[in-house]
Structure formats: structure tokens, C-alpha cells
Amino acid sequence: MAKPDPEELVRLVEAFPGPSSESSDSDGGEATEAAETARIDNLLDGAYGALTRDWYPELRRRAAAHADGDCLRERVLEHVEAVPSFRLSDGPTPLGERREALAEAAALRDDVREIAEWYGTLRSRLGGDRASLTRGERLLHDFGYVLAHLLFLGASSPRAVVRRLRLAYRSVGVRIDETASAGGIEETRFTCPYRNVAAGTCGKRWVCHEKLDRVDDGYVTYLAERGIAYQRPRGCEGSEQCQSTVARDGPERWWPKTPPAAVGADP
């Protein structure tokens, strides 16, 4: 199993720096904290409240289920990537008023900055960063990275890349079910023939997502170096189908992925 191991993941999730629903202040500071929270939530268009009240409790539930062996790491990562967000740019165009709002929110409470730092750590540890993989998984990642040099040779656009990806999918027995193209994003829905391999021992899709997707991580690394964002297979829970997307990697900025300091919004 790749790092972080389930127990380490639980500790990382429990280190969330935002307000706890279990905390209280007997000296009457609770009303002040509630007012600050409401102000921050208003500044960040509801993203702060949605993250702390709804998204984080579900993250804790999934992390605990992962530690108990009842939830794949991919299901935790899927939720991490679905974090409520506050946009700071429209493509390459900075949104000045929104950056000012983030600066004001960060001045009200340190955890606006701390949540972004915590989220960056969580995402990088869960996302298959090569340094966090086991030896076997690093071999799969590196195999994908080397293979990508051949597979994507001469492909410099999302459309060209996705054509090669679909060829690679088919070559290993994956059935392409649907394709779509909109707004520069190329989407592929497919059925993986390996979803039930070792299901009785490790669980459905364990081979697909916990192991074979490390090869896809090698593709992700290679394409990111060339300005292409490959969102490897997701959306497989509760369905026989998975999906992946390819798009031009843009400079979009949003909190909590982007900390206040990264856009000059630190107080």
C-alpha cells in the first residue's frame, strides 16, 4: 500500500486546522468566533462554510473507513479533489476583488492560510506523488513515465493526447463507452476489464485504482511537464464505468488549492 498508510492518513486528516464543531468557549468567545466565521464565509462565497461544515466531516468518515479497509484510497482522493473552492482567477486573468476578499478573510483568521497549507499537503500525499509510493508502485509510475515518451511522441494538444490515450486503453482490453469534447476538455468514459480482479481478497477496483493507476500517474507526470492536464480515471464508485479527462493545463487559481501568499493575498 502506498504512503500515507491508512493510520497516517487519519492523523493527517485529524490535523485539519479549521474550526471544530466540537469546540466551545466557556468565556463567551463563541459568539465572536461565529461572527468571524460568518464574515469569512461571506467573503469566500460560502466556500469556507461548505468546506468546514460539510466537506471535512465526510473526509473524516472516508479516512476512517479507509483505515478500516472499507474504502479505497481513490475514494478518499476523489472527495479531496471535490473540495468547495473560491476562484481567484478566470483562466489566466486574475480576479482582483476576489483576491482582496481572500486577503481580508486571511486577516480575520489564520486558518484561512493554514487550511490551504494543510490541503496542499493532503492532496500531494494522496495524489500518488512518486516519493510517497512503495518500491513496486514507483516501478509502475516510472514504467508509465517512460512509456509516455513513446505513446505521446508528437502529441501537443488535448485532442491529440486523448486519441493516444484511447488507443492505449483499447490495447489493454479497456472498452471505450462514450467520448465527449467541450470547452477544450476531452472526456472519455470506459469500462475496465480488471475491476473485479482479486475482488474477493482486496475489494472491487483495487487492482485498477490502487495499483494499475500508478502507470497512469506516470502519464500525468509526463503530460504535466508539457502543459497538458490529464485527470486520470475517476467516477467509478457505484458504476461499472470510469472516466478521464484531458485539457490544456491552465493557470487557474482557487482557494484552498492556492494559499493566500501565492496570489499576494496574505495580510
Side-chain angles (χ1 to χ4, degrees):
M1 182 72 66
K3 297 178 183 179
D5 62 37
E7 291 75 19
E8 183 183 351
L9 175 60
V10 169
R11 290 193 294 271
L12 182 56
V13 169
E14 292 295 333
F16 178 65
S20 168
S21 60
E22 301 169 356
S23 64
S24 63
D25 187 341
S26 60
D27 293 328
E30 191 172 350
T32 301
E33 181 174 335
E36 278 186 355
T37 299
R39 175 60 179 158
I40 292 170
D41 201 29
N42 182 60
L43 287 165
L44 302 184
D45 281 355
Y48 182 84
L51 187 154
T52 56
R53 290 192 304 266
D54 304 320
W55 177 85
Y56 177 65
E58 173 63 12
L59 175 63
R60 291 184 68 187
R61 187 194 70 77
R62 294 194 189 198
H66 177 55
D68 292 338
D70 297 327
C71 179
L72 291 177
R73 181 183 58 186
E74 291 295 316
R75 285 280 288 146
V76 183
L77 178 58
E78 180 183 29
H79 185 68
V80 168
E81 292 181 338
V83 65
S85 61
F86 179 68
R87 283 196 309 129
L88 300 167
S89 69
D90 184 4
T93 306
L95 298 174
E97 291 185 359
R98 284 176 163 256
R99 296 187 179 199
E100 290 172 6
L102 179 61
E104 185 176 344
L108 284 170
R109 189 177 293 167
D110 288 342
D111 65 17
V112 173
R113 170 184 52 80
E114 293 167 353
I115 286 173
E117 294 171 352
W118 169 86
Y119 180 76
T121 300
L122 177 67
R123 183 169 174 146
S124 66
R125 297 302 303 278
L126 271 173
D129 178 79
R130 187 184 182 283
S132 71
L133 301 179
T134 63
R135 181 180 178 184
E137 289 172 331
R138 284 197 297 272
L139 289 173
L140 289 172
H141 175 281
D142 293 350
F143 172 74
Y145 184 75
V146 171
L147 181 60
H149 285 76
L150 300 175
L151 181 61
F152 303 115
L153 181 65
S156 59
S157 69
R159 182 164 295 184
V161 166
V162 80
R163 283 200 297 264
R164 309 284 184 88
L165 271 173
R166 290 166 185 164
L167 176 63
Y169 290 163
R170 291 188 180 101
S171 70
V172 294
V174 171
R175 188 184 75 222
I176 305 297
D177 299 317
E178 301 173 51
T179 63
S181 178
I185 299 174
E186 304 288 339
E187 182 178 293
T188 305
R189 291 182 180 273
F190 58 90
T191 301
C192 176
Y194 312 111
R195 61 189 180 279
N196 293 323
V197 174
T201 304
C202 304
K204 291 180 68 175
R205 300 178 177 83
W206 185 86
V207 169
C208 280
H209 289 319
E210 294 291 306
K211 297 302 174 186
L212 294 183
D213 274 0
R214 306 290 76 78
V215 177
D216 276 287
D217 286 336
Y219 296 168
V220 171
T221 299
Y222 173 88
L223 291 170
E225 292 171 352
R226 287 151 181 82
I228 300 291
Y230 170 40
Q231 179 73 54
R232 61 177 177 74
R234 292 283 189 275
C236 309
E237 184 68 18
S239 170
E240 296 302 319
Q241 287 186 326
C242 296
Q243 68 181 50
S244 65
T245 60
V246 177
R248 184 70 64 186
D249 193 13
E252 291 86 1
R253 300 292 187 96
W254 48 272
W255 178 91
K257 182 182 178 182
T258 305
V263 292
D266 251 355

